Amino acid sequence: KLKRTEDLGKDEQERVAAVCAQMADPHPIQAKLAGGLDSPEELMDAVVTDAGLTASVLKTVNSAAFALASPITSVQHAVTFLGVAVVKGIVAQAAMAERSQEGTAEQQAALTRIWKSACAASAVAQALAQELSIARPSIVATKSLFANLGDVAGTLHVDGAAAWYGSESYLVDRSGLQQNVFGATSATLGGALAEAWGLPNDIAESIDTGLFVLAMPPTQHPLVGDQLREHVLVYLAGRVGDRVAYHGLKDIAD
């Protein structure tokens, strides 16, 4: 049984609220990412005005994780080479890291996997949405980028949660641990945090309902038509992202 937000008892609601309260105020660019920055020009203009973010983005794209043949020398170069969806993910990660505590080595390893999944999911969602001729693929990509927000908050502020994001971990196992140990899933926590941060309502709702596909047949799903199609797209992109981050997927054809 998937425990939804409306199923939470008082104690569980208080736990969720306590984690949200422990999270640092969001970097100003988080709201911009959630609400747009969909063109290369918009994204570059927003990042280059912040020297710290620019340095973090360049450090990340030139790290061993990307294993590029030649170094990326500017944000414009990164956007051109990696695409808007991937760079938005890197910017979101850098912005979160700038406002968060450093954490233990285990927490840092978990966060690296979570963000790797989010970046991959955002890029996959963009490609799938374009293939299916969805009107604004960037919205689907943005929802995929923020889908793991609750996982980030849990890793930072729920005791022992970092261990749930080890190599070879699966969504079903993580969700079960979240419900049994913490009392709520990362989807509920992420939706609450998005609301507390003042992110757009459709982003918060997408996060909050993100696991519905996992636990209910289409006939019971509260969404229908184009909304359901977009919801499933975000979910599927997230599972591909997890395959990349937790199971070493290298080739999308696999």
Side-chain angles (χ1 to χ4, degrees):
K1 176 177 170 57
L2 177 68
K3 189 179 291 184
R4 307 186 202 180
T5 297
E6 57 266 30
D7 298 326
L8 301 188
K10 182 180 178 182
D11 289 347
E12 294 155 342
Q13 292 174 12
E14 289 176 350
R15 279 185 219 136
V16 169
V19 171
C20 291
Q22 290 179 76
M23 290 292 289
D25 290 338
H27 190 289
I29 204 167
Q30 296 284 17
K32 295 180 181 179
L33 289 169
L37 301 186
D38 298 326
S39 73
E41 294 76 20
E42 288 176 325
L43 181 57
M44 287 184 289
D45 289 346
V47 175
V48 297
T49 56
D50 188 315
L53 276 181
T54 298
S56 294
V57 168
L58 294 179
K59 180 180 178 181
T60 299
V61 299
N62 288 306
S63 69
F66 283 85
L68 301 178
S70 57
I72 297 291
T73 57
S74 67
V75 175
Q76 180 179 4
H77 189 188
V79 172
T80 301
F81 192 77
L82 297 171
V84 170
V86 172
V87 175
K88 281 180 73 171
I90 296 168
V91 172
Q93 177 184 2
M96 183 76 78
E98 192 174 295
R99 295 295 176 96
S100 302
Q101 61 192 39
E102 184 172 338
T104 65
E106 186 177 34
Q107 286 174 316
Q108 288 302 310
L111 290 171
T112 296
R113 293 190 180 99
I114 291 167
W115 282 114
K116 188 173 185 178
S117 176
C119 284
S122 182
V124 169
Q126 178 96 17
L128 288 173
Q130 288 173 337
E131 179 69 19
L132 294 171
S133 299
I134 288 178
R136 293 188 62 187
S138 60
I139 293 178
V140 183
T142 299
K143 288 180 177 180
S144 295
L145 174 62
F146 281 91
N148 290 353
L149 188 60
D151 297 290
V152 174
T155 296
L156 289 171
H157 297 297
V158 176
D159 290 342
W164 305 342
Y165 299 91
S167 178
E168 300 295 321
S169 72
Y170 286 95
L171 176 66
V172 173
D173 300 327
R174 294 197 302 271
S175 300
L177 286 166
Q178 289 160 1
Q179 287 195 167
N180 294 333
V181 177
F182 178 62
T185 66
S186 60
T188 292
L189 178 56
L193 182 58
E195 186 176 348
W197 277 4
L199 299 185
N201 289 336
D202 62 332
I203 298 290
E205 290 173 5
S206 178
I207 299 170
D208 184 53
T209 61
L211 298 183
F212 282 11
V213 177
L214 177 69
M216 64 180 66
T219 54
Q220 295 178 17
H221 201 289
L223 300 179
V224 296
D226 289 346
Q227 286 186 313
L228 178 58
R229 180 172 68 154
E230 182 179 299
H231 185 83
V232 173
L233 249 180
V234 171
Y235 178 84
L236 290 176
R239 306 293 64 76
V240 176
D242 280 359
R243 287 286 175 172
V244 171
Y246 301 101
H247 302 277
L249 179 68
K250 301 290 186 184
D251 189 334
I252 197 65
D254 295 333

